[in-house]
Amino acid sequence: MSGAPRRGRLALVTGASGYIGGRLVPELLAAGYRVRCLARTPDKLRDHPWRERVEVARGDVVSGEGLAEALAGVDVAYYLVHSMGGGGDFESNDAKGARTFARAAGEADVGRVVYLGGLAPEGEELSAHMASRKEVADLLLDGPVPAVVLRAAVILGSGSASFEMLRHLTERLPAMTTPRWVRSRVQPIAVRDVLRLLVEADTLPADTNRAFDIGGPETLTYAEMVQRFAAEAGLARRLILPVPVLSPGLSSLWVGLITPVPPAVARPLVESLRHDSVAGEDDLAELLDDHERIGFDRAVALALRRIDEDRVDTRWSSAAWPSAPSDPLPTDPDWSGGSLYTDRRARVVDAPAEQLWRVIEGIGGERGWYSWPLAWAARGWIDLAVGGVGPRRGRRDPERLRVGDSLDFWRVEEIVPGRLLRLRAEMRLPGPAWLELGVGEVRGRTVYHQRALFHPRGLLGHLYWKAVTPFHGVVFGSMAANIAARAEQGAAEDPRDRD
């Protein structure tokens, strides 16, 4: 290696609420950096275990708001902003964000920019997402600040979209009819190696301004990756029958049906597999004298162990869904923003408040929503069909939630431990929606509070609420009753809650 990272340098991390950014921050701290995180919504970082050890600056790379303050005094800036799902004009936004950030970094006299992009084949027609990643890399390299671009193919790590797609396809399908891309050659790399190389990129000579391909020690076809995963997970060998008829669009729909990764996220993953994704050079290893890479089997074993131990720090769904509304929660009674529909429920619970809170915080994922399962599943599948996140993103941790976590088709917007869980809907709706689950006390009795809120947009929003209102008694009513019953059952079974 060219030397350990210089202690005390100030690193700015954009995209700190995302999969890579959320894992890079503690790596930088461990290497001795001072870290500042840029976030459009700083509260999303509030519950991360490293939050008290970093600065957080509010800002936006596309509009440029707050960038001058965030970049002041920064030695190295990590640009980890990507459009997810392709919502809106993502190509234009990605390009504008890169230009704005590069210009602001130059004005702030930042020493270096580091960017993690995709491994795109040369001379091939690229998909919109791959072309956008390449454009961002080129814009940063052409900017006024020296840039180091790391280009990776499939990243293997617990919670990564690529790994979740591979894992669920392999675990759920003992036999599969697959598109031609299962024959494409891929050079996967472990997330631990990616994080280490991102940190070490700052030790390159100060004037380094170029892209580097990074990959693991093995090149495999996707079909071989499936078989190797099955062997590492203790599963029988999979039967794979490639067919030539599935386009990337159809493939992404197929992936969305089988795995928790929705089609809008699966599509860029699938499109990146249409061509071979193999490193054309390994110059970074030579420059850093860093030739050790984790092999495929070991990377899979490490990821599976973290999943089994419920130690998944970040997930592909950590980033907010692009089409999700970002309106602030209307306050009552003085909110004056128009119509606000609510459904309120409350029940006295014969259980301690702590037991009721455990049930509330453990909702979703494998446990479900304590309501009419068919209705929740149907709503999720409808959302998936119209390009939403779908019903199966699950949870990062089976017991604990933190602000910013995805929870099936919701996002955790607020947690007051022991008192309140507020979720924001990320499904496609004609207006923003929230669900609040709370714990209270009246005359010494534990009370469960539940409130659903919907702010309709236009006539369609009003018609939507009217159409679903007849089902609220079953959906929300049974939810309140079942959560209360589960808390009471838990109190009867749990010695911690016995007198």
PDB file of all heavy atoms in Angstrom, residues 470-495:
ATOM      1  N   PRO A 470     -64.350   1.785   3.245  1.00  0.00           N
ATOM      2  CA  PRO A 470     -65.136   0.630   3.729  1.00  0.00           C
ATOM      3  C   PRO A 470     -64.281  -0.527   4.249  1.00  0.00           C
ATOM      4  O   PRO A 470     -64.779  -1.355   5.025  1.00  0.00           O
ATOM      5  CB  PRO A 470     -65.927   0.203   2.477  1.00  0.00           C
ATOM      6  CG  PRO A 470     -66.028   1.451   1.650  1.00  0.00           C
ATOM      7  CD  PRO A 470     -64.728   2.161   1.867  1.00  0.00           C
ATOM      8  N   PHE A 471     -63.027  -0.595   3.852  1.00  0.00           N
ATOM      9  CA  PHE A 471     -62.162  -1.689   4.287  1.00  0.00           C
ATOM     10  C   PHE A 471     -61.387  -1.363   5.563  1.00  0.00           C
ATOM     11  O   PHE A 471     -60.693  -2.221   6.109  1.00  0.00           O
ATOM     12  CB  PHE A 471     -61.168  -2.044   3.171  1.00  0.00           C
ATOM     13  CG  PHE A 471     -61.823  -2.454   1.886  1.00  0.00           C
ATOM     14  CD1 PHE A 471     -61.976  -1.556   0.845  1.00  0.00           C
ATOM     15  CD2 PHE A 471     -62.309  -3.756   1.716  1.00  0.00           C
ATOM     16  CE1 PHE A 471     -62.582  -1.925  -0.343  1.00  0.00           C
ATOM     17  CE2 PHE A 471     -62.914  -4.137   0.537  1.00  0.00           C
ATOM     18  CZ  PHE A 471     -63.054  -3.220  -0.500  1.00  0.00           C
ATOM     19  N   HIS A 472     -61.469  -0.133   6.028  1.00  0.00           N
ATOM     20  CA  HIS A 472     -60.672   0.264   7.182  1.00  0.00           C
ATOM     21  C   HIS A 472     -61.052  -0.492   8.444  1.00  0.00           C
ATOM     22  O   HIS A 472     -60.197  -0.775   9.287  1.00  0.00           O
ATOM     23  CB  HIS A 472     -60.808   1.779   7.424  1.00  0.00           C
ATOM     24  CG  HIS A 472     -60.026   2.596   6.450  1.00  0.00           C
ATOM     25  ND1 HIS A 472     -60.050   3.967   6.428  1.00  0.00           N
ATOM     26  CD2 HIS A 472     -59.184   2.226   5.445  1.00  0.00           C
ATOM     27  CE1 HIS A 472     -59.276   4.417   5.466  1.00  0.00           C
ATOM     28  NE2 HIS A 472     -58.738   3.375   4.844  1.00  0.00           N
ATOM     29  N   GLY A 473     -62.329  -0.803   8.591  1.00  0.00           N
ATOM     30  CA  GLY A 473     -62.734  -1.541   9.783  1.00  0.00           C
ATOM     31  C   GLY A 473     -62.034  -2.885   9.867  1.00  0.00           C
ATOM     32  O   GLY A 473     -61.613  -3.316  10.949  1.00  0.00           O
ATOM     33  N   VAL A 474     -61.879  -3.536   8.715  1.00  0.00           N
ATOM     34  CA  VAL A 474     -61.216  -4.838   8.692  1.00  0.00           C
ATOM     35  C   VAL A 474     -59.702  -4.676   8.812  1.00  0.00           C
ATOM     36  O   VAL A 474     -59.056  -5.351   9.614  1.00  0.00           O
ATOM     37  CB  VAL A 474     -61.566  -5.595   7.393  1.00  0.00           C
ATOM     38  CG1 VAL A 474     -60.791  -6.905   7.319  1.00  0.00           C
ATOM     39  CG2 VAL A 474     -63.067  -5.856   7.323  1.00  0.00           C
ATOM     40  N   VAL A 475     -59.139  -3.762   8.020  1.00  0.00           N
ATOM     41  CA  VAL A 475     -57.686  -3.625   7.968  1.00  0.00           C
ATOM     42  C   VAL A 475     -57.150  -2.963   9.234  1.00  0.00           C
ATOM     43  O   VAL A 475     -56.327  -3.529   9.959  1.00  0.00           O
ATOM     44  CB  VAL A 475     -57.265  -2.832   6.717  1.00  0.00           C
ATOM     45  CG1 VAL A 475     -55.765  -2.591   6.722  1.00  0.00           C
ATOM     46  CG2 VAL A 475     -57.673  -3.583   5.453  1.00  0.00           C
ATOM     47  N   PHE A 476     -57.599  -1.749   9.510  1.00  0.00           N
ATOM     48  CA  PHE A 476     -57.066  -1.022  10.666  1.00  0.00           C
ATOM     49  C   PHE A 476     -57.687  -1.487  11.980  1.00  0.00           C
ATOM     50  O   PHE A 476     -57.020  -1.492  13.021  1.00  0.00           O
ATOM     51  CB  PHE A 476     -57.284   0.484  10.476  1.00  0.00           C
ATOM     52  CG  PHE A 476     -56.454   1.077   9.374  1.00  0.00           C
ATOM     53  CD1 PHE A 476     -57.026   1.903   8.413  1.00  0.00           C
ATOM     54  CD2 PHE A 476     -55.095   0.813   9.287  1.00  0.00           C
ATOM     55  CE1 PHE A 476     -56.266   2.454   7.400  1.00  0.00           C
ATOM     56  CE2 PHE A 476     -54.313   1.356   8.273  1.00  0.00           C
ATOM     57  CZ  PHE A 476     -54.907   2.170   7.317  1.00  0.00           C
ATOM     58  N   GLY A 477     -58.972  -1.866  11.924  1.00  0.00           N
ATOM     59  CA  GLY A 477     -59.616  -2.351  13.149  1.00  0.00           C
ATOM     60  C   GLY A 477     -58.995  -3.646  13.641  1.00  0.00           C
ATOM     61  O   GLY A 477     -58.671  -3.795  14.829  1.00  0.00           O
ATOM     62  N   SER A 478     -58.793  -4.602  12.731  1.00  0.00           N
ATOM     63  CA  SER A 478     -58.182  -5.874  13.136  1.00  0.00           C
ATOM     64  C   SER A 478     -56.722  -5.673  13.532  1.00  0.00           C
ATOM     65  O   SER A 478     -56.206  -6.370  14.410  1.00  0.00           O
ATOM     66  CB  SER A 478     -58.287  -6.888  11.997  1.00  0.00           C
ATOM     67  OG  SER A 478     -57.563  -6.467  10.861  1.00  0.00           O
ATOM     68  N   MET A 479     -56.058  -4.699  12.919  1.00  0.00           N
ATOM     69  CA  MET A 479     -54.674  -4.407  13.280  1.00  0.00           C
ATOM     70  C   MET A 479     -54.584  -3.980  14.745  1.00  0.00           C
ATOM     71  O   MET A 479     -53.750  -4.489  15.512  1.00  0.00           O
ATOM     72  CB  MET A 479     -54.132  -3.296  12.376  1.00  0.00           C
ATOM     73  CG  MET A 479     -52.678  -2.952  12.593  1.00  0.00           C
ATOM     74  SD  MET A 479     -52.201  -1.578  11.515  1.00  0.00           S
ATOM     75  CE  MET A 479     -50.484  -1.962  11.300  1.00  0.00           C
ATOM     76  N   ALA A 480     -55.437  -3.052  15.147  1.00  0.00           N
ATOM     77  CA  ALA A 480     -55.429  -2.591  16.534  1.00  0.00           C
ATOM     78  C   ALA A 480     -55.759  -3.732  17.493  1.00  0.00           C
ATOM     79  O   ALA A 480     -55.095  -3.907  18.528  1.00  0.00           O
ATOM     80  CB  ALA A 480     -56.424  -1.442  16.703  1.00  0.00           C
ATOM     81  N   ALA A 481     -56.769  -4.515  17.146  1.00  0.00           N
ATOM     82  CA  ALA A 481     -57.172  -5.612  18.024  1.00  0.00           C
ATOM     83  C   ALA A 481     -56.080  -6.665  18.144  1.00  0.00           C
ATOM     84  O   ALA A 481     -55.793  -7.164  19.253  1.00  0.00           O
ATOM     85  CB  ALA A 481     -58.463  -6.242  17.497  1.00  0.00           C
ATOM     86  N   ASN A 482     -55.442  -7.000  17.043  1.00  0.00           N
ATOM     87  CA  ASN A 482     -54.432  -8.062  17.055  1.00  0.00           C
ATOM     88  C   ASN A 482     -53.132  -7.621  17.726  1.00  0.00           C
ATOM     89  O   ASN A 482     -52.457  -8.421  18.374  1.00  0.00           O
ATOM     90  CB  ASN A 482     -54.164  -8.543  15.634  1.00  0.00           C
ATOM     91  CG  ASN A 482     -55.336  -9.294  15.049  1.00  0.00           C
ATOM     92  OD1 ASN A 482     -56.149  -9.858  15.784  1.00  0.00           O
ATOM     93  ND2 ASN A 482     -55.461  -9.288  13.739  1.00  0.00           N
ATOM     94  N   ILE A 483     -52.758  -6.358  17.564  1.00  0.00           N
ATOM     95  CA  ILE A 483     -51.565  -5.862  18.257  1.00  0.00           C
ATOM     96  C   ILE A 483     -51.792  -5.889  19.761  1.00  0.00           C
ATOM     97  O   ILE A 483     -50.914  -6.302  20.534  1.00  0.00           O
ATOM     98  CB  ILE A 483     -51.210  -4.442  17.765  1.00  0.00           C
ATOM     99  CG1 ILE A 483     -50.589  -4.520  16.368  1.00  0.00           C
ATOM    100  CG2 ILE A 483     -50.250  -3.745  18.736  1.00  0.00           C
ATOM    101  CD1 ILE A 483     -50.272  -3.178  15.752  1.00  0.00           C
ATOM    102  N   ALA A 484     -52.978  -5.452  20.194  1.00  0.00           N
ATOM    103  CA  ALA A 484     -53.292  -5.492  21.630  1.00  0.00           C
ATOM    104  C   ALA A 484     -53.281  -6.930  22.138  1.00  0.00           C
ATOM    105  O   ALA A 484     -52.721  -7.224  23.216  1.00  0.00           O
ATOM    106  CB  ALA A 484     -54.656  -4.844  21.873  1.00  0.00           C
ATOM    107  N   ALA A 485     -53.871  -7.840  21.367  1.00  0.00           N
ATOM    108  CA  ALA A 485     -53.919  -9.244  21.793  1.00  0.00           C
ATOM    109  C   ALA A 485     -52.521  -9.847  21.850  1.00  0.00           C
ATOM    110  O   ALA A 485     -52.213 -10.625  22.773  1.00  0.00           O
ATOM    111  CB  ALA A 485     -54.804 -10.040  20.830  1.00  0.00           C
ATOM    112  N   ARG A 486     -51.672  -9.498  20.890  1.00  0.00           N
ATOM    113  CA  ARG A 486     -50.318 -10.048  20.901  1.00  0.00           C
ATOM    114  C   ARG A 486     -49.527  -9.533  22.100  1.00  0.00           C
ATOM    115  O   ARG A 486     -48.736 -10.270  22.708  1.00  0.00           O
ATOM    116  CB  ARG A 486     -49.598  -9.675  19.597  1.00  0.00           C
ATOM    117  CG  ARG A 486     -48.185 -10.255  19.505  1.00  0.00           C
ATOM    118  CD  ARG A 486     -48.242 -11.776  19.435  1.00  0.00           C
ATOM    119  NE  ARG A 486     -46.935 -12.390  19.554  1.00  0.00           N
ATOM    120  CZ  ARG A 486     -46.362 -12.758  20.695  1.00  0.00           C
ATOM    121  NH1 ARG A 486     -46.993 -12.553  21.844  1.00  0.00           N
ATOM    122  NH2 ARG A 486     -45.182 -13.333  20.699  1.00  0.00           N
ATOM    123  N   ALA A 487     -49.723  -8.265  22.450  1.00  0.00           N
ATOM    124  CA  ALA A 487     -49.041  -7.719  23.622  1.00  0.00           C
ATOM    125  C   ALA A 487     -49.519  -8.426  24.894  1.00  0.00           C
ATOM    126  O   ALA A 487     -48.703  -8.746  25.779  1.00  0.00           O
ATOM    127  CB  ALA A 487     -49.296  -6.220  23.719  1.00  0.00           C
ATOM    128  N   GLU A 488     -50.797  -8.674  24.990  1.00  0.00           N
ATOM    129  CA  GLU A 488     -51.331  -9.357  26.172  1.00  0.00           C
ATOM    130  C   GLU A 488     -50.827 -10.799  26.240  1.00  0.00           C
ATOM    131  O   GLU A 488     -50.483 -11.300  27.316  1.00  0.00           O
ATOM    132  CB  GLU A 488     -52.859  -9.319  26.134  1.00  0.00           C
ATOM    133  CG  GLU A 488     -53.414  -7.918  26.344  1.00  0.00           C
ATOM    134  CD  GLU A 488     -54.902  -7.809  26.084  1.00  0.00           C
ATOM    135  OE1 GLU A 488     -55.480  -8.769  25.515  1.00  0.00           O
ATOM    136  OE2 GLU A 488     -55.488  -6.773  26.430  1.00  0.00           O
ATOM    137  N   GLN A 489     -50.765 -11.455  25.091  1.00  0.00           N
ATOM    138  CA  GLN A 489     -50.228 -12.818  25.057  1.00  0.00           C
ATOM    139  C   GLN A 489     -48.756 -12.819  25.462  1.00  0.00           C
ATOM    140  O   GLN A 489     -48.315 -13.672  26.235  1.00  0.00           O
ATOM    141  CB  GLN A 489     -50.386 -13.400  23.654  1.00  0.00           C
ATOM    142  CG  GLN A 489     -49.831 -14.810  23.508  1.00  0.00           C
ATOM    143  CD  GLN A 489     -49.868 -15.298  22.059  1.00  0.00           C
ATOM    144  OE1 GLN A 489     -50.429 -14.647  21.179  1.00  0.00           O
ATOM    145  NE2 GLN A 489     -49.253 -16.445  21.801  1.00  0.00           N
ATOM    146  N   GLY A 490     -48.004 -11.843  24.942  1.00  0.00           N
ATOM    147  CA  GLY A 490     -46.602 -11.757  25.290  1.00  0.00           C
ATOM    148  C   GLY A 490     -46.387 -11.496  26.763  1.00  0.00           C
ATOM    149  O   GLY A 490     -45.454 -12.036  27.379  1.00  0.00           O
ATOM    150  N   ALA A 491     -47.239 -10.675  27.360  1.00  0.00           N
ATOM    151  CA  ALA A 491     -47.124 -10.389  28.789  1.00  0.00           C
ATOM    152  C   ALA A 491     -47.378 -11.642  29.613  1.00  0.00           C
ATOM    153  O   ALA A 491     -46.742 -11.862  30.646  1.00  0.00           O
ATOM    154  CB  ALA A 491     -48.107  -9.293  29.181  1.00  0.00           C
ATOM    155  N   ALA A 492     -48.293 -12.476  29.150  1.00  0.00           N
ATOM    156  CA  ALA A 492     -48.588 -13.717  29.872  1.00  0.00           C
ATOM    157  C   ALA A 492     -47.464 -14.733  29.745  1.00  0.00           C
ATOM    158  O   ALA A 492     -47.235 -15.545  30.650  1.00  0.00           O
ATOM    159  CB  ALA A 492     -49.887 -14.319  29.338  1.00  0.00           C
ATOM    160  N   GLU A 493     -46.718 -14.669  28.620  1.00  0.00           N
ATOM    161  CA  GLU A 493     -45.666 -15.652  28.372  1.00  0.00           C
ATOM    162  C   GLU A 493     -44.299 -15.196  28.847  1.00  0.00           C
ATOM    163  O   GLU A 493     -43.435 -16.027  29.144  1.00  0.00           O
ATOM    164  CB  GLU A 493     -45.589 -15.936  26.864  1.00  0.00           C
ATOM    165  CG  GLU A 493     -46.827 -16.576  26.298  1.00  0.00           C
ATOM    166  CD  GLU A 493     -46.772 -16.671  24.779  1.00  0.00           C
ATOM    167  OE1 GLU A 493     -45.831 -16.069  24.183  1.00  0.00           O
ATOM    168  OE2 GLU A 493     -47.642 -17.340  24.181  1.00  0.00           O
ATOM    169  N   ASP A 494     -44.085 -13.875  28.936  1.00  0.00           N
ATOM    170  CA  ASP A 494     -42.738 -13.346  29.182  1.00  0.00           C
ATOM    171  C   ASP A 494     -42.516 -13.123  30.680  1.00  0.00           C
ATOM    172  O   ASP A 494     -43.212 -12.299  31.295  1.00  0.00           O
ATOM    173  CB  ASP A 494     -42.585 -12.005  28.444  1.00  0.00           C
ATOM    174  CG  ASP A 494     -41.140 -11.562  28.387  1.00  0.00           C
ATOM    175  OD1 ASP A 494     -40.339 -11.981  29.254  1.00  0.00           O
ATOM    176  OD2 ASP A 494     -40.788 -10.794  27.483  1.00  0.00           O
ATOM    177  N   PRO A 495     -41.577 -13.807  31.279  1.00  0.00           N
ATOM    178  CA  PRO A 495     -41.316 -13.643  32.713  1.00  0.00           C
ATOM    179  C   PRO A 495     -40.936 -12.207  33.084  1.00  0.00           C
ATOM    180  O   PRO A 495     -41.155 -11.800  34.211  1.00  0.00           O
ATOM    181  CB  PRO A 495     -40.133 -14.598  32.971  1.00  0.00           C
ATOM    182  CG  PRO A 495     -40.136 -15.559  31.833  1.00  0.00           C
ATOM    183  CD  PRO A 495     -40.696 -14.802  30.683  1.00  0.00           C
TER     184      PRO A 495
END
